[in-house]
Amino acid sequence: MPGVVVVGQVARDLVLVVDRVPEEGGSTDVRERQELLGGKGANQAVACRRLGAEVELLGVVGADRAGEDVLAQAAADGIGVGGVLRREGVPTALLVDVVGPPGVRRLLEDVAPAALLTAEDVRSRAGLLQDAGAVLVQLQQPGPAVVEALAAARGALVVADGAPADARTRRRVLDAADVVRADGSEAEALVGWAPRGVPETVRAARELLEQGPRVVALAAGDADVVAWADGHVVLPHLGEDPVDPTGAGDAFVGALAVALLRGEDPRTAAWWAAAVAAQVVGTAGGRPHLDPDRLRETVRRHRGA
Amino acid sequence: MPGVVVVGQVARDLVLVVDRVPEEGGSTDVRERQELLGGKGANQAVACRRLGAEVELLGVVGADRAGEDVLAQAAADGIGVGGVLRREGVPTALLVDVVGPPGVRRLLEDVAPAALLTAEDVRSRAGLLQDAGAVLVQLQQPGPAVVEALAAARGALVVADGAPADARTRRRVLDAADVVRADGSEAEALVGWAPRGVPETVRAARELLEQGPRVVALAAGDADVVAWADGHVVLPHLGEDPVDPTGAGDAFVGALAVALLRGEDPRTAAWWAAAVAAQVVGTAGGRPHLDPDRLRETVRRHRGA
């Protein structure tokens, strides 16, 4: 299978599991602490790697100790980090996930503007994108970097995730991406209007399919809609005991991309993605071992096939 | 001036300044991030050092990178760290201060039981305590470690801060300490009943003076009461634009100890401590440069002397 390149945020993720967030002036004990490689780019890269793909990251970290640590962790996870830029004088992005009570997350994000990709950064890594089998591009990165990545990835399966930064970027995304995906808060920027409920979300997905992409995945409340030329599927959230939603959307995107790259049909790829997301929400920090038997069992049980 | 030894928590302090804590499922941007040497022991040590004292720390960190980092920072601050134990397999304590809106703090504390001092730990550092001019003992450390430190510090000015862990520790504290100090939530464990308002707090301080200590400092809402054999002073909080209360109590204790060690009378030492605390609450992270001219000016303005 040709490799995957993920273009997006690489960060340090500090996961703090608490019983509750303290009142003003109060304190609480942390029940569990994890310090991980995080950020949407790294999370998607880890999911793809755990599903067996060869993966390279393209992103920015600081020339600090945290940057060293997260790149060492990515390398230990089997992810190629030659494409990650180390920027002098920039602190590596920090994401603090405060998890508690179970299933409820609050995110404190410290991402300096200089920890985002520029078009020049992407140009300097164009070779990586040209050789990729699939390129996952996160639309949280600045528009010019996204546009550059879409152009360089022309030969690959292009998957765009998130809300485009502006109208020009949106146009380029719809022209260039094979797969687009947005969560509830991002859908309006991608679609142009805010779909509510499953029927409107299906209609929004059909509109997007007419503008270029071959597969569209949109969140609709507690479900995901995945649509393609001649069909769609509405996937319930399959996680039974959600602990931490961190990384579930990223794992969904990664799994969808890997399954499509392997030649699965969109319906099968969608079920696979939902099963992977379910395994992720069952674990604080969103970085579980992905057990193929359990994934197959989850799909079989819910899909009924 | 003979040196100060501080017996207490050494931790990593992560200060995150936000506009507000996000709702369930929400996120917020971090406006300012600091990663510092923290914990009450280290905070008191830094305050003493910035007021010109020679300082040694006695505490526990892990044999991890965070432990290395905080000890390097303490050493760079001019604090002796030869007395700090590095414990294998124990994560260095982490304190996450979420500050926002201005003046409001929430604390998430991750302190493993093995990151606290044992009596054996203190015994192994007895020489340090015997040679000290002043020893500051934090009562958050386990009772047996506190009792051991009080015994070893016999020749020094002994300052005990916090709520004693049990009745035996309380008895030893009142017997051995020259100065005791407790904040609002700690006073009941030290006094034996819960003083409310300034007059009751003054009465509680007088009761404690009869049981051994020479100076008693108790918080009373938005003021501090400092009492000695033949007088007391009620100090308002002198900070005009409080940003972050982190470390203000620790700076108060450190400054009180250093002033008494220098031979100041209790009233002067108390005003000095209040001025130092005011300078600390004006800074996120609680680690300002302590400017002697500004401190003198603050005391002059409020004390009216």
Side-chain angles (χ1 to χ4, degrees):
Chain A
M1 187 172 72
V4 173
V5 178
V6 181
V7 180
Q9 189 67 61
V10 183
R12 183 157 60 114
D13 218 344
L14 175 62
V15 181
L16 303 170
V17 180
V18 296
D19 289 334
R20 51 174 188 80
V21 170
E23 296 298 299
E24 295 195 349
S27 68
T28 192
D29 286 338
V30 173
R31 294 208 160 277
E32 188 188 331
R33 181 211 318 177
Q34 290 182 47
E35 298 195 61
L36 299 165
L37 168 67
K40 293 179 79 69
N43 288 346
Q44 292 181 11
V46 169
C48 292
R49 181 76 198 110
R50 296 211 169 166
L51 293 166
E54 295 290 324
V55 185
E56 292 280 340
L57 259 176
L58 203 174
V60 177
V61 298
D64 52 7
R65 202 175 239 204
E68 251 172 59
D69 286 348
V70 296
L71 292 192
Q73 198 177 340
D77 284 344
I79 294 165
V81 295
V84 178
L85 294 106
R86 300 206 59 186
R87 199 104 82 203
E88 287 292 338
V90 176
T92 295
L94 172 69
L95 308 175
V96 181
D97 293 334
V98 180
V99 180
V104 174
R105 183 183 77 150
R106 290 171 170 86
L107 183 59
L108 310 180
E109 300 186 86
D110 186 14
V111 182
L116 298 171
L117 286 163
T118 66
E120 181 50 47
D121 293 337
V122 176
R123 255 193 305 279
S124 76
R125 304 295 196 258
L128 207 60
L129 297 168
Q130 281 150 11
D131 298 339
V135 174
L136 278 58
V137 180
Q138 273 142 45
L139 305 182
Q140 290 84 353
Q141 295 293 315
V146 166
V147 169
E148 193 69 35
L150 294 171
R154 209 152 279 173
L157 174 81
V158 176
V159 180
D161 177 38
D166 50 50
R168 171 174 173 264
T169 308
R170 174 175 183 271
R171 193 59 259 156
R172 297 292 185 94
V173 165
L174 293 175
D175 285 346
D178 299 288
V179 182
V180 293
R181 190 251 173 197
D183 71 19
S185 63
E186 297 160 341
E188 183 171 2
L190 187 65
V191 176
W193 53 279
R196 291 196 180 185
V198 168
E200 282 190 14
T201 304
V202 172
R203 181 153 65 83
R206 296 251 143 257
E207 280 185 24
L208 291 173
L209 288 170
E210 283 162 21
Q211 295 174 71
R214 168 164 91 73
V215 176
V216 174
L218 297 176
D222 280 336
D224 286 285
V225 169
V226 178
W228 55 95
D230 53 2
H232 75 265
V233 58
V234 180
L235 302 146
H237 285 183
L238 308 183
E240 276 159 21
D241 295 302
V243 171
D244 176 10
T246 305
D250 297 324
F252 186 97
V253 176
L256 190 68
V258 169
L260 291 170
L261 184 59
R262 281 187 175 141
E264 301 287 356
D265 64 273
R267 185 186 302 273
T268 301
W271 277 105
W272 193 252
V276 167
Q279 218 167 95
V280 166
V281 297
T283 319
R287 199 62 56 73
H289 168 71
L290 295 173
D291 176 349
D293 288 341
R294 217 175 118 197
L295 292 171
R296 265 189 289 272
E297 166 57 22
T298 303
V299 171
R300 196 198 52 71
R301 187 151 34 94
H302 291 275
R303 188 179 181 181
Chain B
M1 188 172 72
V4 174
V5 178
V6 181
V7 180
Q9 190 66 62
V10 184
R12 183 157 59 116
D13 218 345
L14 175 62
V15 182
L16 303 171
V17 179
V18 295
D19 290 334
R20 50 171 189 80
V21 170
E23 296 299 298
E24 296 196 348
S27 68
T28 193
D29 286 338
V30 173
R31 294 209 161 276
E32 189 187 330
R33 182 211 316 177
Q34 290 183 48
E35 297 195 62
L36 300 165
L37 168 68
K40 293 179 80 70
N43 289 345
Q44 291 182 11
V46 168
C48 292
R49 182 74 197 113
R50 296 211 170 167
L51 293 166
E54 296 290 324
V55 186
E56 293 279 341
L57 258 177
L58 202 176
V60 177
V61 297
D64 51 8
R65 201 175 239 204
E68 251 171 60
D69 286 348
V70 296
L71 292 192
Q73 197 176 341
D77 283 345
I79 294 165
V81 295
V84 178
L85 294 106
R86 300 207 59 187
R87 199 103 84 202
E88 288 291 338
V90 177
T92 295
L94 172 68
L95 309 175
V96 181
D97 292 336
V98 180
V99 179
V104 173
R105 183 183 78 149
R106 291 171 170 86
L107 182 60
L108 309 180
E109 299 186 88
D110 186 14
V111 182
L116 299 172
L117 286 163
T118 66
E120 179 51 46
D121 293 336
V122 177
R123 254 193 305 279
S124 74
R125 304 294 195 259
L128 206 60
L129 298 168
Q130 280 149 12
D131 298 338
V135 173
L136 280 57
V137 181
Q138 273 141 48
L139 305 182
Q140 290 84 353
Q141 295 293 316
V146 166
V147 169
E148 193 70 33
L150 294 170
R154 206 152 282 174
L157 173 80
V158 175
V159 180
D161 176 38
D166 49 51
R168 171 173 174 264
T169 308
R170 174 175 183 271
R171 192 59 259 154
R172 297 292 185 94
V173 166
L174 293 175
D175 285 346
D178 299 288
V179 181
V180 293
R181 190 253 173 196
D183 71 19
S185 63
E186 296 160 343
E188 183 171 2
L190 187 66
V191 177
W193 52 279
R196 291 195 180 187
V198 168
E200 282 190 15
T201 304
V202 172
R203 180 154 63 83
R206 295 249 145 257
E207 280 184 24
L208 290 172
L209 287 169
E210 283 163 21
Q211 296 174 70
R214 168 162 93 71
V215 176
V216 174
L218 297 176
D222 281 335
D224 286 285
V225 170
V226 178
W228 55 95
D230 53 1
H232 74 266
V233 58
V234 180
L235 303 145
H237 285 184
L238 308 182
E240 275 157 24
D241 294 303
V243 171
D244 176 9
T246 305
D250 296 325
F252 186 98
V253 176
L256 190 67
V258 169
L260 291 170
L261 184 60
R262 281 189 176 139
E264 301 288 354
D265 65 273
R267 185 185 302 271
T268 302
W271 277 105
W272 194 251
V276 167
Q279 217 166 98
V280 166
V281 297
T283 319
R287 198 64 56 73
H289 168 70
L290 295 173
D291 175 351
D293 288 342
R294 217 174 118 197
L295 292 171
R296 264 188 290 273
E297 166 58 22
T298 302
V299 170
R300 196 199 51 71
R301 186 153 32 97
H302 291 277
R303 191 180 180 179

